[in-house]
Amino acid sequence: MSAEPATSARAQHDHEDDGADAHLQHHFQDLNVQADAARLGMWLFLSTEILLFGGLFIAYSLYRQVYPEGFHAASELLSPELGLLDTAILITSSMTMVMAIFMTQKRKKNAAVILLLITIGLGLSFVCVHSYEYWRDITEGALPGKFFHVEELAGKHGAAMFFTLYFCMTGLHTIHVLIGAGILTVLTYFTWKGDYTPRYMSPLENGGLYWHLIDLIWIFLYPLLYLIA
């Protein structure tokens, strides 16, 4: 008699997870193998992103060695307070992303959707704050390359190169934030539909990995660009 409720509960649990099997591709033996393959592919993709930004970090380091005074003087035009706000926004968004995955594991779909929406909102808030920073830089004449025309830095060699790298690095990062927000929007839709369960949530986990990489890159960009002065 005692085995009957346990069997019934197990059958009910399997029935709840039946929808996950619909996502199993024919060339994988089970969902765990498929999730491992997807995770490996995501890490390989993220490694190419690290190589991309790594090249910019190397270029920044080399030019900073060549023009230390110009880089320090140019960095003073940036706002460390706004940069810190950007950092706080992205770190908070990483936390809400982790919580969304946790809520999905606990089968709390509505809470996961709300947390994903908050994460997207924080990402867009970051873009808004950074757009305001760009507006400040442009109005002050802190443009890249030959367009640089800040009078108090006219004699500082390397100041124009600093802002060339600044716009390349932060601009590329901002594009990644927008792409990440788009990915999370799609993931939010499928979370709302109930596609993700504890047995099948690799798209959500991989989306979280991409979002965390975006945050990690900014954690390096903030001190390199805003705090060197």
Side-chain angles (χ1 to χ4, degrees):
M1 294 291 292
S2 61
E4 203 171 301
T7 303
S8 175
R10 185 164 57 251
Q12 182 181 357
H13 177 73
D14 292 339
H15 178 71
E16 289 174 353
D17 282 342
D18 280 345
D21 294 327
H23 298 282
L24 179 63
Q25 302 300 312
H26 70 277
H27 47 282
F28 294 108
Q29 64 185 37
D30 57 45
L31 285 171
N32 290 330
V33 174
Q34 179 175 292
D36 289 340
R39 195 175 298 112
L40 176 60
M42 190 63 188
W43 278 110
L44 289 174
F45 169 73
L46 295 181
S47 67
T48 65
E49 293 289 292
I50 293 172
L51 289 174
L52 173 62
F53 280 95
L56 291 172
F57 287 144
I58 291 172
Y60 173 89
S61 300
L62 292 175
Y63 278 108
R64 181 177 171 181
Q65 293 297 321
V66 177
Y67 304 112
E69 293 183 6
F71 269 50
H72 280 238
S75 177
E76 291 181 349
L77 292 181
L78 302 181
S79 171
E81 293 79 14
L82 288 176
L84 182 61
L85 177 59
D86 288 333
T87 305
I89 289 172
L90 285 184
I91 290 176
T92 304
S93 73
S94 269
M95 180 186 69
T96 55
M97 185 70 224
V98 171
M99 291 174 63
I101 294 174
F102 177 76
M103 289 300 173
T104 303
Q105 292 172 336
K106 295 296 183 181
R107 299 180 180 275
K108 297 181 179 180
K109 182 187 73 173
N110 293 336
V113 168
I114 291 172
L115 287 164
L116 285 169
L117 290 174
I118 292 173
T119 305
I120 295 168
L122 289 169
L124 296 178
S125 298
F126 171 89
V127 174
C128 290
V129 173
H130 210 64
S131 297
Y132 171 70
E133 290 184 79
Y134 282 156
W135 177 78
R136 288 179 68 252
D137 299 331
I138 292 170
T139 55
E140 292 176 2
L143 295 165
K146 65 180 181 179
F147 303 104
F148 183 81
H149 57 275
V150 179
E151 294 183 0
E152 64 254 37
L153 297 179
K156 299 290 184 180
H157 296 291
M161 178 55 69
F162 173 88
F163 277 98
T164 298
L165 291 170
Y166 165 77
F167 278 102
C168 285
M169 297 168 82
T170 60
L172 185 61
H173 177 265
T174 301
I175 290 172
H176 278 71
V177 172
L178 289 172
I179 293 172
I183 292 171
L184 292 185
T185 300
V186 174
L187 293 174
T188 301
Y189 169 73
F190 286 110
T191 302
W192 174 73
K193 282 183 61 181
D195 281 13
Y196 303 135
T197 68
R199 287 185 63 215
Y200 175 73
M201 55 187 303
S202 56
L204 192 60
E205 291 174 331
N206 289 335
L209 284 175
Y210 182 80
W211 193 257
H212 296 323
L213 177 70
I214 293 172
D215 299 348
L216 181 62
I217 290 172
W218 180 259
I219 289 173
F220 282 96
L221 287 176
Y222 174 58
L224 282 177
L225 297 173
Y226 290 81
L227 302 182
I228 65 171

